[in-house]
Amino acid sequence: MALYHRQLPMKLLLVALGAVLLSSGAPVLAAPLPPIGGNGDPHMTGLQGEKFDWHGYPGESFCMISDSNIQINTHLIGQDGVTYFDAFALLYKIGDSVHEVSFQLNQDVPSDDDANFGIELDGRPLAPDAFTGRSACDNFGPLRVFASPDAGIELSMAEENGFAVVLVVEGLANMTITTDNHDLPTGKHLDWAINWIHATSEVHGVLGQTFQPSRADVIAAAMKVNGPQMQAAEVVEGSDDEYRTSSLLAPDCARSRFGTNPDSPTERVGHVATLRRLLSFVEGTNVFPITIKNAGCASGASAACNFA
Ligand SMILES: *[C@@H]1O[C@H](CO)[C@@H](O)[C@H](O)[C@H]1NC(C)=O
C-alpha cells in the first residue's frame, strides 16, 4: 500500500513558499512555525490546516498524539477557561525498548535562558552542557546538539539561548518545541509543531485523530463548507476525559494506541522504510503507514502556526 499523501498541492506550494520567505527573511525568534501542533490557549492546527481551540483543563496531562510506536502528551496550566501547555513528553518505541523524553518549562527563568526547558531523557536530566555537538543553522540560527544513538534521538537547541529545541527520533518524528509569553496571568508556555511524523492510519489523540485518512476526509468535507476554523467538538471525538493521562509520562489515556502491535507476526502487507527501521503491518488488518508533514502545530496566545 502506498503512503498516505495529502492531496493539497497548492497548500504544499504555499508551505514551500513560506519556508523560502522564512529562510531569506527576517528575524528568527518570532518566526511562525510551519504547522501541525499546538500552541497557547491551545490553538491546534491539523493536517489540512484546520484550526480548532481545544482547552482540556489545567493541572492535567492529555494525549495529543497516540500511535503504536509513538505518543505525545502535554500538560496544561491556566485559569479562567484559558489553558496553555507547560510540559511536553514524547514516548516512543524502538524495537522492544520504550524511551521517554520530556520538556518541562521552567517559569523562573527568562525564555532565552539555557535552563528554559528542564529536559529529561529516560528519567535522567539533560543539562545544557550535555549539548556538545554543533549543527548548521536553521531558522533558529546555529544549533548545539545532544545525540543518543542508543535511544535513537537527537536534540538540538538554539546555540545562543534555550527558547527552542528541535527533537528528532530516528525514523519516527521530527518536532520543534518553542516558547512564547502570555498575559493574564503573565507567564510563558510552550508551543510545538510537527515537522514530520511516521505513524499508522490508526493514530489517535486530540490532534492525532485528524491524521487518520478517514477522519481527514470528513474534516476536508467540513472545511469545504465552513472554512478552516472548526469547533473542537467537530474534530475531537468524545470528551476531554478520554484523552487525559494519569501523568505526563503515562500512555494511559482511554484513546491510547501506544504499545499496540500492528507489526505482529510475519506477514507484511505494507511497510515503510523509516530510515533504518521498517514498520510492518499485519495482513488482514486495515492498518497502514502514513507520513505526516508540516501537519499540525499547537500554540499559545499568538496562534503562531498561521501558515495556511
Ligand atoms: C527536522 O526538521 C527541521 C525543521 O524542518 C529541519 O531543519 C531538520 O533538518 C529536520 N531534521 C531531520 C533529521 O529531519
Side-chain angles (χ1 to χ4, degrees):
M1 282 192 210
L3 291 179
Y4 170 66
H5 292 293
R6 286 189 294 163
Q7 296 171 338
L8 292 170
M10 192 58 201
K11 176 149 175 277
L12 288 174
L13 190 62
L14 289 173
V15 170
L17 274 174
V20 169
L21 290 174
L22 273 181
S23 54
S24 63
V28 289
L29 288 201
L33 290 172
I36 305 191
N39 58 32
D41 192 12
H43 304 301
M44 314 290 284
T45 301
L47 180 60
Q48 304 171 93
E50 69 271 34
K51 298 176 191 305
F52 59 100
D53 288 351
W54 174 86
H55 301 296
Y57 32 88
E60 299 284 351
S61 297
F62 296 87
C63 59
M64 297 289 114
I65 294 175
S66 186
D67 195 34
S68 49
N69 290 322
I70 186 168
Q71 177 154 333
I72 289 168
N73 291 345
T74 53
H75 181 264
L76 293 173
I77 51 171
Q79 60 182 45
D80 298 336
V82 178
T83 50
Y84 299 96
F85 304 117
D86 80 328
F88 173 101
L90 182 72
L91 315 178
Y92 59 98
K93 262 176 68 185
I94 293 188
D96 290 332
S97 311
V98 174
H99 298 279
E100 53 194 38
V101 61
S102 61
F103 298 76
Q104 174 70 56
L105 205 50
N106 181 358
Q107 296 285 353
D108 298 333
V109 303
S111 297
D112 62 359
D113 193 285
D114 266 357
N116 181 44
F117 293 116
I119 306 175
E120 289 195 2
L121 175 62
D122 292 335
R124 292 188 314 274
L126 272 189
D129 64 10
F131 288 69
T132 52
R134 289 283 175 274
S135 97
C137 293
D138 80 344
N139 286 341
F140 309 114
L143 300 172
R144 50 189 152 150
V145 180
F146 166 85
S148 168
D150 286 347
I153 195 169
E154 187 178 280
L155 302 173
S156 308
M157 198 188 287
E159 186 162 271
E160 297 299 330
N161 66 60
F163 102 105
V165 178
V166 178
L167 157 66
V168 179
V169 178
E170 183 190 311
L172 277 179
N174 179 341
M175 323 259 327
T176 301
I177 300 166
T178 54
T179 315
D180 202 356
N181 298 310
H182 57 258
D183 300 323
L184 304 170
T186 302
K188 53 185 184 172
H189 59 264
L190 61 79
D191 297 340
W192 49 280
I194 298 170
N195 302 317
W196 53 260
I197 187 168
H198 291 304
T200 75
S201 53
E202 294 201 325
V203 59
H204 216 292
V206 171
L207 185 67
Q209 65 195 287
T210 71
F211 308 157
Q212 294 174 9
S214 56
R215 290 284 297 153
D217 287 348
V218 173
I219 290 168
M223 284 172 69
K224 268 195 179 155
V225 180
N226 296 318
Q229 188 65 52
M230 305 186 75
Q231 300 295 318
E234 296 175 277
V235 179
V236 182
E237 295 177 327
S239 70
D240 289 353
D241 282 330
E242 292 170 52
Y243 300 90
R244 190 158 53 86
T245 59
S246 59
S247 72
L248 181 65
L249 291 172
D252 58 0
C253 53
R255 298 288 183 157
S256 182
R257 298 282 189 268
F258 192 65
T260 58
N261 197 9
D263 49 348
S264 323
T266 44
E267 286 174 293
R268 294 173 180 182
V269 175
H271 63 264
V272 57
T274 55
L275 301 186
R276 286 198 276 120
R277 295 180 311 113
L278 289 182
L279 291 175
S280 54
F281 298 87
V282 185
E283 190 150 26
T285 70
N286 295 318
V287 185
F288 57 92
I290 59 175
T291 296
I292 311 302
K293 283 195 176 161
N294 294 326
C297 68
S299 80
S302 61
C305 39
N306 53 349
F307 68 103

